[in-house]
mmCIF file of all heavy atoms in Angstrom:
data_model
loop_
_atom_site.group_PDB
_atom_site.id
_atom_site.type_symbol
_atom_site.label_atom_id
_atom_site.label_comp_id
_atom_site.label_asym_id
_atom_site.label_seq_id
_atom_site.Cartn_x
_atom_site.Cartn_y
_atom_site.Cartn_z
ATOM 1 N N VAL P 1 -6.648 6.271 -17.826
ATOM 2 C CA VAL P 1 -5.785 7.146 -16.946
ATOM 3 C C VAL P 1 -4.366 7.013 -17.424
ATOM 4 O O VAL P 1 -3.789 5.869 -17.630
ATOM 5 C CB VAL P 1 -5.906 6.738 -15.449
ATOM 6 C CG1 VAL P 1 -5.019 7.613 -14.600
ATOM 7 C CG2 VAL P 1 -7.378 6.878 -15.036
ATOM 8 N N THR P 2 -3.662 8.142 -17.561
ATOM 9 C CA THR P 2 -2.217 8.094 -17.896
ATOM 10 C C THR P 2 -1.547 8.868 -16.780
ATOM 11 O O THR P 2 -2.012 9.890 -16.397
ATOM 12 C CB THR P 2 -1.942 8.815 -19.232
ATOM 13 O OG1 THR P 2 -2.706 8.187 -20.236
ATOM 14 C CG2 THR P 2 -0.491 8.775 -19.646
ATOM 15 N N ILE P 3 -0.318 8.281 -16.333
ATOM 16 C CA ILE P 3 0.404 8.931 -15.256
ATOM 17 C C ILE P 3 1.694 9.606 -15.866
ATOM 18 O O ILE P 3 2.385 8.975 -16.717
ATOM 19 C CB ILE P 3 0.816 7.927 -14.219
ATOM 20 C CG1 ILE P 3 -0.429 7.186 -13.678
ATOM 21 C CG2 ILE P 3 1.682 8.546 -13.132
ATOM 22 C CD1 ILE P 3 -1.327 8.024 -12.824
ATOM 23 N N TYR P 4 2.011 10.791 -15.392
ATOM 24 C CA TYR P 4 3.192 11.576 -15.773
ATOM 25 C C TYR P 4 4.033 11.810 -14.529
ATOM 26 O O TYR P 4 3.430 12.144 -13.391
ATOM 27 C CB TYR P 4 2.867 12.859 -16.463
ATOM 28 C CG TYR P 4 2.112 12.675 -17.769
ATOM 29 C CD1 TYR P 4 0.684 12.513 -17.778
ATOM 30 C CD2 TYR P 4 2.721 12.614 -18.969
ATOM 31 C CE1 TYR P 4 0.038 12.344 -18.932
ATOM 32 C CE2 TYR P 4 2.075 12.505 -20.173
ATOM 33 C CZ TYR P 4 0.690 12.355 -20.155
ATOM 34 O OH TYR P 4 0.074 12.147 -21.358
ATOM 35 N N ASP P 5 5.332 11.806 -14.634
ATOM 36 C CA ASP P 5 6.139 12.109 -13.438
ATOM 37 C C ASP P 5 6.209 13.631 -13.236
ATOM 38 O O ASP P 5 5.502 14.404 -13.975
ATOM 39 C CB ASP P 5 7.515 11.473 -13.529
ATOM 40 C CG ASP P 5 8.413 12.112 -14.628
ATOM 41 O OD1 ASP P 5 8.038 13.126 -15.272
ATOM 42 O OD2 ASP P 5 9.511 11.473 -14.910
ATOM 43 N N LEU P 6 7.006 14.097 -12.307
ATOM 44 C CA LEU P 6 7.014 15.555 -11.940
ATOM 45 C C LEU P 6 7.648 16.386 -13.127
ATOM 46 O O LEU P 6 7.489 17.613 -13.083
ATOM 47 C CB LEU P 6 7.900 15.662 -10.707
ATOM 48 C CG LEU P 6 7.225 15.025 -9.471
ATOM 49 C CD1 LEU P 6 8.146 15.189 -8.270
ATOM 50 C CD2 LEU P 6 5.872 15.644 -9.147
ATOM 51 N N ASN P 7 8.336 15.706 -14.086
ATOM 52 C CA ASN P 7 8.866 16.392 -15.237
ATOM 53 C C ASN P 7 7.965 16.318 -16.416
ATOM 54 O O ASN P 7 8.461 16.534 -17.585
ATOM 55 C CB ASN P 7 10.244 15.952 -15.523
ATOM 56 C CG ASN P 7 11.234 16.243 -14.444
ATOM 57 O OD1 ASN P 7 11.299 17.389 -14.025
ATOM 58 N ND2 ASN P 7 11.944 15.326 -13.893
ATOM 59 N N MET P 8 6.753 15.766 -16.257
ATOM 60 C CA MET P 8 5.798 15.612 -17.269
ATOM 61 C C MET P 8 6.182 14.535 -18.364
ATOM 62 O O MET P 8 5.763 14.627 -19.491
ATOM 63 C CB MET P 8 5.399 16.982 -17.935
ATOM 64 C CG MET P 8 4.538 17.822 -17.049
ATOM 65 S SD MET P 8 2.995 17.103 -16.531
ATOM 66 C CE MET P 8 2.092 16.834 -18.044
ATOM 67 N N ARG P 9 6.985 13.552 -17.939
ATOM 68 C CA ARG P 9 7.336 12.408 -18.749
ATOM 69 C C ARG P 9 6.242 11.368 -18.486
ATOM 70 O O ARG P 9 6.063 11.014 -17.372
ATOM 71 C CB ARG P 9 8.646 11.869 -18.509
ATOM 72 C CG ARG P 9 9.802 12.862 -18.862
ATOM 73 C CD ARG P 9 11.171 12.185 -18.605
ATOM 74 N NE ARG P 9 11.258 12.026 -17.152
ATOM 75 C CZ ARG P 9 12.261 12.492 -16.450
ATOM 76 N NH1 ARG P 9 13.223 13.189 -17.029
ATOM 77 N NH2 ARG P 9 12.366 12.308 -15.121
ATOM 78 N N ARG P 10 5.656 10.838 -19.586
ATOM 79 C CA ARG P 10 4.672 9.742 -19.431
ATOM 80 C C ARG P 10 5.414 8.561 -18.881
ATOM 81 O O ARG P 10 6.427 8.109 -19.357
ATOM 82 C CB ARG P 10 4.061 9.454 -20.787
ATOM 83 C CG ARG P 10 2.997 8.309 -20.681
ATOM 84 C CD ARG P 10 2.540 7.940 -22.068
ATOM 85 N NE ARG P 10 1.933 9.092 -22.620
ATOM 86 C CZ ARG P 10 1.044 9.008 -23.567
ATOM 87 N NH1 ARG P 10 0.660 7.822 -24.025
ATOM 88 N NH2 ARG P 10 0.505 10.113 -24.078
ATOM 89 N N VAL P 11 4.856 8.082 -17.765
ATOM 90 C CA VAL P 11 5.487 6.870 -17.183
ATOM 91 C C VAL P 11 4.576 5.677 -17.128
ATOM 92 O O VAL P 11 5.107 4.537 -16.985
ATOM 93 C CB VAL P 11 5.917 7.140 -15.668
ATOM 94 C CG1 VAL P 11 7.066 8.195 -15.636
ATOM 95 C CG2 VAL P 11 4.867 7.574 -14.746
ATOM 96 N N ALA P 12 3.298 5.821 -17.303
ATOM 97 C CA ALA P 12 2.414 4.644 -17.272
ATOM 98 C C ALA P 12 1.023 4.992 -17.843
ATOM 99 O O ALA P 12 0.543 6.102 -17.586
ATOM 100 C CB ALA P 12 2.290 4.051 -15.920
ATOM 101 N N GLU P 13 0.410 4.017 -18.575
ATOM 102 C CA GLU P 13 -1.014 4.053 -18.837
ATOM 103 C C GLU P 13 -1.619 2.971 -18.077
ATOM 104 O O GLU P 13 -1.244 1.824 -18.094
ATOM 105 C CB GLU P 13 -1.178 3.935 -20.366
ATOM 106 C CG GLU P 13 -2.677 4.148 -20.686
ATOM 107 C CD GLU P 13 -2.926 4.216 -22.188
ATOM 108 O OE1 GLU P 13 -2.280 5.014 -22.891
ATOM 109 O OE2 GLU P 13 -3.811 3.612 -22.624
ATOM 110 N N LEU P 14 -2.558 3.338 -17.300
ATOM 111 C CA LEU P 14 -3.240 2.383 -16.346
ATOM 112 C C LEU P 14 -4.363 1.602 -16.976
ATOM 113 O O LEU P 14 -5.567 1.998 -16.834
ATOM 114 C CB LEU P 14 -3.681 3.143 -15.072
ATOM 115 C CG LEU P 14 -2.666 3.950 -14.388
ATOM 116 C CD1 LEU P 14 -3.182 4.666 -13.156
ATOM 117 C CD2 LEU P 14 -1.356 3.166 -14.075
ATOM 118 N N GLU P 15 -4.057 0.512 -17.642
ATOM 119 C CA GLU P 15 -5.024 -0.227 -18.321
ATOM 120 C C GLU P 15 -6.042 -0.898 -17.364
ATOM 121 O O GLU P 15 -7.172 -1.171 -17.741
ATOM 122 C CB GLU P 15 -4.401 -1.392 -19.128
ATOM 123 C CG GLU P 15 -3.524 -0.952 -20.237
ATOM 124 C CD GLU P 15 -2.058 -0.702 -19.747
ATOM 125 O OE1 GLU P 15 -1.734 -0.949 -18.681
ATOM 126 O OE2 GLU P 15 -1.229 -0.327 -20.722
ATOM 127 N N ASN P 16 -5.607 -1.163 -16.217
ATOM 128 C CA ASN P 16 -6.389 -1.781 -15.111
ATOM 129 C C ASN P 16 -7.168 -0.837 -14.275
ATOM 130 O O ASN P 16 -7.762 -1.264 -13.190
ATOM 131 C CB ASN P 16 -5.664 -2.782 -14.294
ATOM 132 C CG ASN P 16 -5.062 -3.868 -15.191
ATOM 133 O OD1 ASN P 16 -5.730 -4.406 -16.079
ATOM 134 N ND2 ASN P 16 -3.815 -4.327 -14.911
ATOM 135 N N ALA P 17 -7.086 0.471 -14.498
ATOM 136 C CA ALA P 17 -7.799 1.403 -13.605
ATOM 137 C C ALA P 17 -9.271 1.156 -13.721
ATOM 138 O O ALA P 17 -9.812 0.861 -14.752
ATOM 139 C CB ALA P 17 -7.511 2.829 -14.103
ATOM 140 N N ALA P 18 -9.961 1.313 -12.644
ATOM 141 C CA ALA P 18 -11.410 0.958 -12.516
ATOM 142 C C ALA P 18 -12.038 2.099 -11.629
ATOM 143 O O ALA P 18 -11.335 2.825 -10.916
ATOM 144 C CB ALA P 18 -11.677 -0.317 -11.999
ATOM 145 N N ASN P 19 -13.315 2.111 -11.603
ATOM 146 C CA ASN P 19 -14.012 3.067 -10.830
ATOM 147 C C ASN P 19 -13.506 4.503 -11.007
ATOM 148 O O ASN P 19 -13.383 5.277 -10.069
ATOM 149 C CB ASN P 19 -14.000 2.710 -9.354
ATOM 150 C CG ASN P 19 -14.702 1.326 -9.083
ATOM 151 O OD1 ASN P 19 -15.645 1.036 -9.672
ATOM 152 N ND2 ASN P 19 -14.084 0.534 -8.241
ATOM 153 N N ILE P 20 -13.266 4.829 -12.234
ATOM 154 C CA ILE P 20 -12.684 6.213 -12.524
ATOM 155 C C ILE P 20 -13.904 7.176 -12.391
ATOM 156 O O ILE P 20 -14.938 7.022 -13.008
ATOM 157 C CB ILE P 20 -12.131 6.291 -13.916
ATOM 158 C CG1 ILE P 20 -10.966 5.229 -14.101
ATOM 159 C CG2 ILE P 20 -11.683 7.648 -14.290
ATOM 160 C CD1 ILE P 20 -10.602 4.948 -15.551
ATOM 161 N N GLY P 21 -13.710 8.121 -11.564
ATOM 162 C CA GLY P 21 -14.724 9.106 -11.354
ATOM 163 C C GLY P 21 -14.105 10.530 -11.331
ATOM 164 O O GLY P 21 -12.897 10.660 -11.002
ATOM 165 N N TYR P 22 -14.898 11.549 -11.662
ATOM 166 C CA TYR P 22 -14.471 12.892 -11.633
ATOM 167 C C TYR P 22 -15.587 13.849 -11.418
ATOM 168 O O TYR P 22 -16.781 13.536 -11.773
ATOM 169 C CB TYR P 22 -13.646 13.266 -12.859
ATOM 170 C CG TYR P 22 -14.446 13.036 -14.184
ATOM 171 C CD1 TYR P 22 -15.287 14.106 -14.700
ATOM 172 C CD2 TYR P 22 -14.336 11.826 -14.838
ATOM 173 C CE1 TYR P 22 -15.851 13.859 -15.847
ATOM 174 C CE2 TYR P 22 -15.058 11.656 -15.971
ATOM 175 C CZ TYR P 22 -15.822 12.678 -16.526
ATOM 176 O OH TYR P 22 -16.512 12.492 -17.701
ATOM 177 N N GLU P 23 -15.282 14.897 -10.805
ATOM 178 C CA GLU P 23 -16.273 16.016 -10.589
ATOM 179 C C GLU P 23 -15.655 17.327 -11.131
ATOM 180 O O GLU P 23 -14.557 17.691 -10.785
ATOM 181 C CB GLU P 23 -16.601 16.200 -9.088
ATOM 182 C CG GLU P 23 -17.293 15.006 -8.511
ATOM 183 C CD GLU P 23 -17.679 15.174 -7.063
ATOM 184 O OE1 GLU P 23 -17.787 16.371 -6.618
ATOM 185 O OE2 GLU P 23 -17.907 14.160 -6.342
ATOM 186 N N THR P 24 -16.450 17.966 -11.953
ATOM 187 C CA THR P 24 -16.012 19.202 -12.567
ATOM 188 C C THR P 24 -17.002 20.370 -12.271
ATOM 189 O O THR P 24 -17.552 20.947 -13.187
ATOM 190 C CB THR P 24 -15.803 19.045 -14.100
ATOM 191 O OG1 THR P 24 -17.053 18.643 -14.622
ATOM 192 C CG2 THR P 24 -14.756 18.048 -14.386
ATOM 193 N N PRO P 25 -17.199 20.686 -10.963
ATOM 194 C CA PRO P 25 -18.103 21.672 -10.666
ATOM 195 C C PRO P 25 -17.633 23.101 -11.089
ATOM 196 O O PRO P 25 -16.455 23.388 -11.155
ATOM 197 C CB PRO P 25 -18.232 21.617 -9.103
ATOM 198 C CG PRO P 25 -16.944 21.039 -8.755
ATOM 199 C CD PRO P 25 -16.504 20.125 -9.829
ATOM 200 N N LEU P 26 -18.619 23.976 -11.352
ATOM 201 C CA LEU P 26 -18.367 25.260 -11.860
ATOM 202 C C LEU P 26 -17.763 26.144 -10.678
ATOM 203 O O LEU P 26 -18.390 26.001 -9.559
ATOM 204 C CB LEU P 26 -19.587 25.954 -12.313
ATOM 205 C CG LEU P 26 -19.453 27.246 -13.052
ATOM 206 C CD1 LEU P 26 -18.530 27.188 -14.236
ATOM 207 C CD2 LEU P 26 -20.829 27.748 -13.458
ATOM 208 N N ASN P 27 -16.660 26.883 -10.928
ATOM 209 C CA ASN P 27 -16.085 27.833 -9.953
ATOM 210 C C ASN P 27 -15.577 27.179 -8.717
ATOM 211 O O ASN P 27 -15.583 27.802 -7.603
ATOM 212 C CB ASN P 27 -17.180 28.875 -9.605
ATOM 213 C CG ASN P 27 -17.476 29.809 -10.788
ATOM 214 O OD1 ASN P 27 -16.607 30.008 -11.603
ATOM 215 N ND2 ASN P 27 -18.670 30.229 -10.805
ATOM 216 N N THR P 28 -15.189 25.916 -8.727
ATOM 217 C CA THR P 28 -14.611 25.312 -7.593
ATOM 218 C C THR P 28 -13.552 24.231 -8.113
ATOM 219 O O THR P 28 -13.474 23.950 -9.302
ATOM 220 C CB THR P 28 -15.618 24.668 -6.630
ATOM 221 O OG1 THR P 28 -15.016 24.232 -5.470
ATOM 222 C CG2 THR P 28 -16.351 23.495 -7.258
ATOM 223 N N LEU P 29 -12.863 23.632 -7.187
ATOM 224 C CA LEU P 29 -11.818 22.700 -7.478
ATOM 225 C C LEU P 29 -12.336 21.387 -8.156
ATOM 226 O O LEU P 29 -13.254 20.756 -7.594
ATOM 227 C CB LEU P 29 -11.021 22.387 -6.163
ATOM 228 C CG LEU P 29 -9.812 21.456 -6.337
ATOM 229 C CD1 LEU P 29 -8.759 22.226 -7.166
ATOM 230 C CD2 LEU P 29 -9.248 21.156 -4.957
ATOM 231 N N TRP P 30 -11.763 21.022 -9.253
ATOM 232 C CA TRP P 30 -12.078 19.724 -9.852
ATOM 233 C C TRP P 30 -11.340 18.593 -9.163
ATOM 234 O O TRP P 30 -10.172 18.757 -8.726
ATOM 235 C CB TRP P 30 -11.702 19.676 -11.356
ATOM 236 C CG TRP P 30 -12.545 20.593 -12.180
ATOM 237 C CD1 TRP P 30 -13.451 21.623 -11.716
ATOM 238 C CD2 TRP P 30 -12.580 20.669 -13.588
ATOM 239 N NE1 TRP P 30 -13.912 22.246 -12.773
ATOM 240 C CE2 TRP P 30 -13.461 21.706 -13.947
ATOM 241 C CE3 TRP P 30 -11.905 19.957 -14.627
ATOM 242 C CZ2 TRP P 30 -13.776 21.957 -15.320
ATOM 243 C CZ3 TRP P 30 -12.191 20.252 -15.906
ATOM 244 C CH2 TRP P 30 -13.096 21.252 -16.256
ATOM 245 N N THR P 31 -11.968 17.463 -8.991
ATOM 246 C CA THR P 31 -11.358 16.308 -8.365
ATOM 247 C C THR P 31 -11.693 15.048 -9.175
ATOM 248 O O THR P 31 -12.545 15.102 -10.043
ATOM 249 C CB THR P 31 -11.974 16.096 -6.918
ATOM 250 O OG1 THR P 31 -13.320 15.901 -7.030
ATOM 251 C CG2 THR P 31 -11.655 17.331 -6.036
ATOM 252 N N ALA P 32 -10.867 14.032 -8.901
ATOM 253 C CA ALA P 32 -11.044 12.734 -9.572
ATOM 254 C C ALA P 32 -10.543 11.688 -8.635
ATOM 255 O O ALA P 32 -9.833 11.892 -7.756
ATOM 256 C CB ALA P 32 -10.377 12.736 -10.895
ATOM 257 N N SER P 33 -10.896 10.434 -8.999
ATOM 258 C CA SER P 33 -10.344 9.243 -8.287
ATOM 259 C C SER P 33 -10.373 8.059 -9.204
ATOM 260 O O SER P 33 -11.122 8.019 -10.191
ATOM 261 C CB SER P 33 -11.193 9.015 -6.987
ATOM 262 O OG SER P 33 -12.546 8.745 -7.353
ATOM 263 N N PHE P 34 -9.608 7.053 -8.821
ATOM 264 C CA PHE P 34 -9.563 5.848 -9.566
ATOM 265 C C PHE P 34 -8.959 4.693 -8.669
ATOM 266 O O PHE P 34 -8.376 4.998 -7.604
ATOM 267 C CB PHE P 34 -8.716 5.957 -10.895
ATOM 268 C CG PHE P 34 -7.300 6.228 -10.660
ATOM 269 C CD1 PHE P 34 -6.269 5.324 -10.530
ATOM 270 C CD2 PHE P 34 -6.888 7.690 -10.625
ATOM 271 C CE1 PHE P 34 -4.958 5.609 -10.305
ATOM 272 C CE2 PHE P 34 -5.606 7.972 -10.388
ATOM 273 C CZ PHE P 34 -4.571 6.949 -10.225
ATOM 274 N N ASP P 35 -9.231 3.519 -9.114
ATOM 275 C CA ASP P 35 -8.792 2.338 -8.359
ATOM 276 C C ASP P 35 -7.826 1.486 -9.242
ATOM 277 O O ASP P 35 -8.019 1.495 -10.428
ATOM 278 C CB ASP P 35 -9.950 1.355 -7.972
ATOM 279 C CG ASP P 35 -10.927 1.934 -6.964
ATOM 280 O OD1 ASP P 35 -10.581 3.002 -6.455
ATOM 281 O OD2 ASP P 35 -11.969 1.387 -6.805
ATOM 282 N N LEU P 36 -6.872 0.858 -8.565
ATOM 283 C CA LEU P 36 -5.992 -0.101 -9.188
ATOM 284 C C LEU P 36 -6.044 -1.322 -8.398
ATOM 285 O O LEU P 36 -6.049 -1.209 -7.190
ATOM 286 C CB LEU P 36 -4.624 0.447 -9.345
ATOM 287 C CG LEU P 36 -4.183 1.277 -10.500
ATOM 288 C CD1 LEU P 36 -2.716 1.642 -10.523
ATOM 289 C CD2 LEU P 36 -4.480 0.552 -11.832
ATOM 290 N N PRO P 37 -5.880 -2.513 -8.958
ATOM 291 C CA PRO P 37 -5.754 -3.740 -8.145
ATOM 292 C C PRO P 37 -4.407 -3.628 -7.291
ATOM 293 O O PRO P 37 -3.417 -3.064 -7.772
ATOM 294 C CB PRO P 37 -5.583 -4.821 -9.241
ATOM 295 C CG PRO P 37 -6.198 -4.310 -10.486
ATOM 296 C CD PRO P 37 -5.950 -2.829 -10.466
ATOM 297 N N ILE P 38 -4.469 -4.117 -6.124
ATOM 298 C CA ILE P 38 -3.391 -4.024 -5.195
ATOM 299 C C ILE P 38 -2.076 -4.643 -5.859
ATOM 300 O O ILE P 38 -1.017 -4.126 -5.593
ATOM 301 C CB ILE P 38 -3.667 -4.706 -3.892
ATOM 302 C CG1 ILE P 38 -4.666 -3.935 -3.077
ATOM 303 C CG2 ILE P 38 -2.459 -4.962 -3.030
ATOM 304 C CD1 ILE P 38 -5.226 -4.535 -1.823
ATOM 305 N N ASP P 39 -2.267 -5.748 -6.599
ATOM 306 C CA ASP P 39 -1.070 -6.411 -7.119
ATOM 307 C C ASP P 39 -0.674 -5.925 -8.598
ATOM 308 O O ASP P 39 0.285 -6.353 -9.158
ATOM 309 C CB ASP P 39 -1.282 -7.882 -7.206
ATOM 310 C CG ASP P 39 -2.550 -8.280 -8.110
ATOM 311 O OD1 ASP P 39 -3.231 -7.283 -8.542
ATOM 312 O OD2 ASP P 39 -2.688 -9.424 -8.393
ATOM 313 N N ASP P 40 -1.260 -4.760 -8.984
ATOM 314 C CA ASP P 40 -0.897 -4.175 -10.259
ATOM 315 C C ASP P 40 0.505 -3.578 -10.110
ATOM 316 O O ASP P 40 0.718 -2.692 -9.238
ATOM 317 C CB ASP P 40 -1.942 -3.149 -10.646
ATOM 318 C CG ASP P 40 -1.690 -2.675 -12.116
ATOM 319 O OD1 ASP P 40 -0.549 -2.330 -12.491
ATOM 320 O OD2 ASP P 40 -2.705 -2.601 -12.854
#
């Protein structure tokens, strides 16, 4: 996972992201989720 700010500047690559999941259903909204350690 890579994070970009509101101006599309790369601000972080989340090396510790876990439980990355996504759904890409046809003709509906795509969603995703991920976890980070609380102390990251």
Side-chain angles (χ1 to χ4, degrees):
V1 177
T2 304
I3 304 293
Y4 297 86
D5 68 12
L6 298 175
N7 294 312
M8 287 303 295
R9 291 182 296 236
R10 181 185 299 203
V11 294
E13 187 168 312
L14 306 181
E15 298 88 0
N16 297 322
N19 299 322
I20 301 167
Y22 55 89
E23 294 184 22
T24 58
L26 188 61
N27 296 326
T28 190
L29 185 65
W30 290 13
T31 59
S33 59
F34 62 91
D35 293 348
L36 273 182
I38 288 175
D39 60 352
D40 191 313

